Amino acid sequence: MTFDSQAYAVQLLDKVRRLRDLLAPFDAPEPAVFDSPLEHFRLRAEFRLWREAGERHYAMFSQDDKRTPILIEQFPIASLRINQLMPQLKAAWQASAPLSHKLFQVEFLTTLADDAMITLCYHRPLDEHWHTAASKLASDLGVSIIGRSKGKREVIGHDYVVEKLDVGGRTFSYRQPEGAFTQPNGTVNQKMLNWAFDALGERNDDLLELYCGNGNFTLPLATRVRKVLATEISKTSVNAALSNLSENAVDNVTLVRLSAEELTQALNEVRPFRRLHGIDLKSYEFASVFVDPPRAGMDPDTCELTRRFDNILYISCNPETLAANIAQLHDTHRITRCAMFDQFPWTHHMESGVLLTRR
């Protein structure tokens, strides 16, 4: 399969126009544009398995038809490592009853650093025969294997992959756990991190970060400020972020497992939280806030909270909710930088970023 670079250029321009139109009411500067590789850009993939002619095949379904499978041998938008592993894994389950029996789903997670993990999902309990076969498979393929069955999990190797990303002249190492959110397009993620690193600039005050995930942005941004207070609600992501902070010797970050809404209540002194015990919120000299919210954007109270900061650095996976949040902030802040990151080529989705500065 070949990808049409001209078609991609047209699609990219359409996304830039869409972002430009959404931000036009706020006098936004022309967005910087960060494109994607045309193929092998996606670091994770998930397939159902479909039996046909007595054999299991990788399968996907269109959004319009959840009943008719699209059988797949290769997946060109996925990383080279995933495409190398797909036929090897298929040959392994075809040759092994313990691996294939009631196997219904397969998930791949890879990194730019060439680490890989495969999750095998079953409609049956996993026994010692499965463990023996899966251990050999993990060794043969040079990957970690996760077996999932009715809420139980067997881990062979690690339950995470390790990514390495270069930001601001330094290489950061990231532990990315199985089942947790990670940016799917590693190449564009690295561009996004460098843009945010440059947009924040070097400062001698403090940063508040909401929705920090596994510390994707936290690690490089922490090197630009005096100290960081970061929040995240997912326990898996918090544990990964703490590990990543330790692994990279980033020691100026305090991480709290609170939602953005809960932190807003804490800063507004609406109510105390036990998870903030021992943390003096008033000791921080916040001048900047970094947010990377879910598709719904920031709720009105959290959006109002960000108004307190001189600088709002905002990464968004939904330009419509980004524009809605900016509309709430436009009377006190103006867009001084913006960017479009093509995390999801060949779809209408995009990531965007803005730096809002107090008027």
Side-chain angles (χ1 to χ4, degrees):
M1 181 176 181
T2 58
F3 289 93
D4 185 341
S5 59
Q6 186 172 354
Y8 175 73
V10 170
Q11 185 187 75
L12 187 67
L13 182 58
D14 285 344
K15 292 183 182 182
V16 174
R17 285 174 177 153
R18 180 171 153 224
L19 180 62
R20 188 188 293 133
D21 290 346
L22 284 166
L23 300 185
F26 315 114
D27 300 318
E30 184 67 13
V33 179
F34 297 90
D35 63 357
S36 170
L38 273 62
E39 59 184 332
H40 301 313
F41 53 82
R42 188 173 177 83
L43 295 177
R44 64 176 191 251
E46 176 182 307
F47 303 100
R48 294 299 298 265
L49 297 191
W50 189 267
R51 184 183 288 275
E52 189 169 283
E55 186 177 315
R56 281 186 177 85
H57 300 272
Y58 296 107
M60 300 183 82
F61 297 83
S62 73
Q63 295 220 347
D64 300 329
D65 183 355
K66 299 296 185 182
R67 295 178 176 234
T68 306
I70 302 168
L71 303 186
I72 294 171
E73 294 298 327
Q74 292 291 306
F75 195 44
I77 67 170
S79 67
L80 283 170
R81 187 78 190 276
I82 290 175
N83 280 275
Q84 291 163 357
L85 289 170
M86 286 174 67
Q88 295 173 323
L89 176 62
K90 185 175 182 179
W93 81 56
Q94 286 176 330
S96 170
L99 289 176
S100 65
H101 183 48
K102 294 193 175 180
L103 174 66
F104 71 92
Q105 184 165 299
V106 174
E107 300 166 12
F108 296 90
L109 179 61
T110 61
T111 68
L112 297 177
D114 209 32
D115 201 1
M117 176 170 58
I118 300 173
T119 300
L120 305 174
C121 303
Y122 292 87
H123 285 310
R124 68 174 179 92
L126 301 179
D127 56 20
E128 61 184 35
H129 300 293
W130 177 87
H131 198 278
T132 298
S135 296
K136 182 178 185 304
L137 176 64
S139 177
D140 290 345
L141 299 185
V143 302
S144 292
I145 299 281
I146 309 292
R148 285 196 170 272
S149 168
K150 294 183 180 178
K152 295 186 178 180
R153 188 176 74 148
E154 296 277 346
V155 179
I156 298 170
H158 300 292
D159 64 350
Y160 59 86
V161 291
V162 174
E163 181 61 286
K164 295 186 182 297
L165 299 172
D166 296 326
V167 186
R170 175 177 171 180
T171 300
F172 292 90
S173 176
Y174 293 88
R175 182 178 293 193
Q176 300 179 339
E178 186 249 353
F181 173 79
T182 55
Q183 297 286 349
N185 189 325
T187 301
V188 175
N189 181 39
Q190 188 165 256
K191 294 178 180 181
M192 198 159 60
L193 291 172
N194 277 282
W195 179 85
F197 179 88
D198 185 59
L200 180 61
E202 190 166 354
R203 309 186 58 85
N204 59 5
D205 45 33
D206 302 330
L207 174 70
L208 175 65
E209 180 182 3
L210 308 179
Y211 323 95
C212 78
N214 71 350
N216 184 51
F217 287 94
T218 318
L219 299 183
L221 295 185
T223 68
R224 302 293 258 172
V225 296
R226 192 174 67 109
K227 58 182 180 177
V228 179
L229 178 64
T231 69
E232 169 60 46
I233 192 60
S234 163
K235 188 177 291 187
T236 301
S237 294
V238 166
N239 290 336
L242 290 171
S243 174
N244 292 334
L245 290 167
S246 175
E247 173 71 21
N248 291 273
V250 175
D251 59 5
N252 64 335
V253 176
T254 298
L255 179 57
V256 184
R257 193 168 72 84
L258 290 175
S259 69
E261 293 83 359
E262 288 171 330
L263 183 70
T264 299
Q265 292 175 353
L267 290 172
N268 288 337
E269 300 183 350
V270 173
R271 66 186 180 103
F273 289 88
R274 283 183 296 174
R275 282 168 280 177
L276 285 169
H277 180 71
I279 299 173
D280 182 5
L281 294 178
K282 294 181 180 178
S283 71
Y284 286 86
E285 297 175 10
F286 292 123
S288 305
V289 59
F290 175 79
V291 297
D292 182 9
R295 288 191 58 78
M298 292 188 287
D299 67 276
D301 288 342
T302 303
C303 194
E304 200 61 29
L305 171 70
T306 65
R307 189 193 299 277
R308 302 180 188 180
F309 301 88
D310 291 339
N311 306 295
I312 306 167
L313 189 54
Y314 191 144
I315 296 291
S316 170
C317 60
N318 184 343
E320 278 79 15
T321 55
L322 170 66
N325 283 160
I326 293 172
Q328 185 174 339
L329 298 165
H330 185 55
D331 59 331
T332 55
H333 288 72
R334 62 189 180 90
I335 303 175
T336 53
R337 297 180 67 161
C338 71
M340 196 286 287
F341 309 98
D342 198 18
Q343 274 268 6
F344 310 99
W346 311 115
T347 77
H348 71 281
H349 297 292
M350 69 173 111
E351 295 264 335
S352 50
V354 296
L355 175 63
L356 297 155
T357 305
R358 187 177 302 282
R359 294 183 181 277

